Amino acid sequence: RTVTISVFPHDSVLMTASSEHDRISPLFDEEDPIGQVQELLRCATQPLTNKEVHELYEKGLGDAERWVVEEAKRTKLRDELLRNEARAAEWMSHDDDVDSDNK
């Protein structure tokens, strides 16, 4: 499994090395995608104030937290599905045992 992390929105830089649910990055700004990328490039290439660095860090932390929450939901759903499949298989097996006892 490959999880990619980018300071740029994956949609704006076309990073495709991982599945969509395995991407940590800022959300794509549909209202101003060019401005978003320009601001991130400015942050990467020009000196920042301590306040700007802290804000950038907090945004990245928020991106990571959003991914963790979504991953937890996805994992919980997958685990529930696997448990339900196991219960169904057990029930079907039990049903087959009852049928063979009745013959």
Side-chain angles (χ1 to χ4, degrees), residues 24-25 56-68:
I24 302 172
S25 69
L56 196 58
Y57 174 83
E58 290 295 322
K59 287 179 184 178
L61 184 60
D63 296 334
E65 287 175 340
R66 185 180 65 254
W67 181 84
V68 167

Side-chain angles (χ1 to χ4, degrees), residues 14-68:
L14 304 175
M15 291 183 74
T16 59
S18 61
S19 301
E20 188 172 333
H21 60 269
D22 287 332
R23 298 174 183 167
I24 302 172
S25 69
L27 296 174
F28 185 72
D29 185 346
E30 293 182 14
E31 292 181 16
D32 188 16
I34 294 173
Q36 180 184 30
V37 171
Q38 285 175 337
E39 177 62 14
L40 291 168
L41 283 171
R42 183 192 70 77
C43 291
T45 59
Q46 297 177 13
L48 301 177
T49 66
N50 286 341
K51 181 181 177 188
E52 289 174 314
V53 170
H54 183 72
E55 289 171 354
L56 196 58
Y57 174 83
E58 290 295 322
K59 287 179 184 178
L61 184 60
D63 296 334
E65 287 175 340
R66 185 180 65 254
W67 181 84
V68 167

